[in-house]
């Protein structure tokens, strides 16, 4: 990361992500710094909090964040006229990027990760815990 998305009016860069499991949620949260440049060259920064579902891809042994929704967006310097556009672009940047960039990938050179990859059936979030369903068949 950083990831950048542009349209005719705004360029948005999302960087420095931090992943969290939040109380009372069955989703993974991601907080990130955000930089925006609006038409005319004015720049501003802020923070964005999003949440999404975790998905495990057995073929590549990777965990992905999917169906991302913006929970919170803060910036003192972005005018109200551009906040909704920046928020939508940031959501698009993250949804697009995280479809192909896992939040975690098992290292199959390690015996433990190789075993997890071979036996992991499903993954979900519950009560601030990552629950892994394992099975041989």
């Amino acid at each position: 990361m950083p990831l950048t998305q542009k349209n005719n009016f705004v360029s948005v860069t999302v960087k420095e992500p931090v992943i969290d499991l939040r109380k009372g949620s069955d989703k993974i949260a991601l907080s990130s710094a955000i930089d925006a440049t609006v038409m005319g060259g004015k720049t501003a920064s802020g923070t964005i909090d999003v949440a999404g579902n975790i998905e495990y891809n057995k073929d590549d042994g990777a965990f992905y964040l999917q169906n991302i929704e913006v929970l919170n967006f803060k910036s003192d310097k972005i005018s109200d006229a551009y906040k909704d556009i920046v928020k939508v672009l940031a959501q698009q940047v993250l949804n697009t990027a995280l479809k192909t960039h896992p939040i975690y990938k098992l290292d199959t050179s390690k015996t433990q990760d190789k075993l997890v990859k071979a036996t992991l059936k499903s993954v979900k979030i519950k009560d601030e815990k990552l629950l892994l369903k394992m099975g041989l068949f």
Side-chain angles (χ1 to χ4, degrees), residues 40-79:
K42 293 182 180 181
T43 61
S45 59
T47 59
I48 191 164
D49 298 324
V50 299
N53 301 317
I54 190 162
E55 184 176 303
Y56 175 67
N57 182 308
K58 184 174 178 73
D59 293 335
D60 62 1
F63 297 84
Y64 294 89
L65 192 58
Q66 302 292 311
N67 305 316
I68 294 169
E69 301 172 34
V70 175
L71 303 175
N72 191 22
F73 171 63
K74 293 179 188 173
S75 176
D76 294 335
K77 296 185 178 182
I78 296 175
S79 71

Side-chain angles (χ1 to χ4, degrees), residues 20-26 125-130:
D20 189 23
L21 300 176
R22 294 195 176 174
K23 190 172 186 171
S25 176
D26 62 350
I125 307 291
K126 186 174 181 180
D127 299 326
E128 297 179 75
K129 292 183 176 83
L130 182 66

Side-chain angles (χ1 to χ4, degrees), residues 19 54-57 60-65 101-107 110 113 116 130:
I19 292 179
I54 190 162
E55 184 176 303
Y56 175 67
N57 182 308
D60 62 1
F63 297 84
Y64 294 89
L65 192 58
H101 293 83
I103 57 172
Y104 184 79
K105 186 167 178 150
L106 296 170
D107 181 352
K110 296 178 180 176
D113 282 13
V116 170
L130 182 66

Side-chain angles (χ1 to χ4, degrees), residues 73-125:
F73 171 63
K74 293 179 188 173
S75 176
D76 294 335
K77 296 185 178 182
I78 296 175
S79 71
D80 289 340
Y82 288 106
K83 278 188 179 177
D84 286 339
I85 294 170
V86 170
K87 193 162 102 172
V88 167
L89 280 174
Q91 184 170 328
Q92 289 173 355
V93 165
L94 290 167
N95 268 314
T96 301
L98 293 173
K99 285 181 182 177
T100 57
H101 293 83
I103 57 172
Y104 184 79
K105 186 167 178 150
L106 296 170
D107 181 352
T108 55
S109 70
K110 296 178 180 176
T111 303
Q112 184 175 351
D113 282 13
K114 193 181 290 188
L115 181 61
V116 170
K117 184 177 180 189
T119 60
L120 184 58
K121 300 296 180 196
S122 66
V123 60
K124 69 179 182 177
I125 307 291

